[in-house]
Amino acid sequence: MEHPIFFLTLIFEAIGLGDFAHHNPHVLYSWFTIILLIIVARLATRSIQLVPGRIQNVLEVVIENIENFQ
């Protein structure tokens, strides 16, 4: 069975950390997800308003779903 090629693994191979990337792809994608959520949160909280904008609405839905995840 072939293993999929992940784009973060290719990036880490290019900077010389290919061994770590091949043995721990779940760690890389966890870091990627955390960084993505931090960026989205930063964009959403840049201008918090009583009437939320698009990004704030999306972030509220994401946070609500994370809180309700069982």
Side-chain angles (χ1 to χ4, degrees):
M1 176 178 209
E2 281 188 45
H3 294 284
I5 297 175
F6 299 118
F7 73 95
L8 288 177
T9 304
L10 296 175
I11 293 170
F12 271 67
E13 282 178 355
I15 60 174
L17 296 172
D19 189 44
F20 174 77
H22 285 289
H23 293 295
N24 301 305
H26 56 283
V27 174
L28 292 179
Y29 281 89
S30 295
W31 291 347
F32 178 74
T33 304
I34 290 167
I35 291 169
L36 184 66
L37 288 174
I38 289 171
I39 291 169
V40 170
R42 180 70 178 142
L43 290 173
T45 59
R46 183 173 287 173
S47 61
I48 293 180
Q49 301 173 2
L50 188 56
V51 178
R54 278 189 225 152
I55 296 175
Q56 188 176 346
N57 274 332
V58 170
L59 190 60
E60 287 179 5
V61 169
V62 169
I63 290 172
E64 183 177 342
N65 285 327
I66 289 172
E67 287 177 346
N68 292 333
F69 187 73
Q70 294 180 5

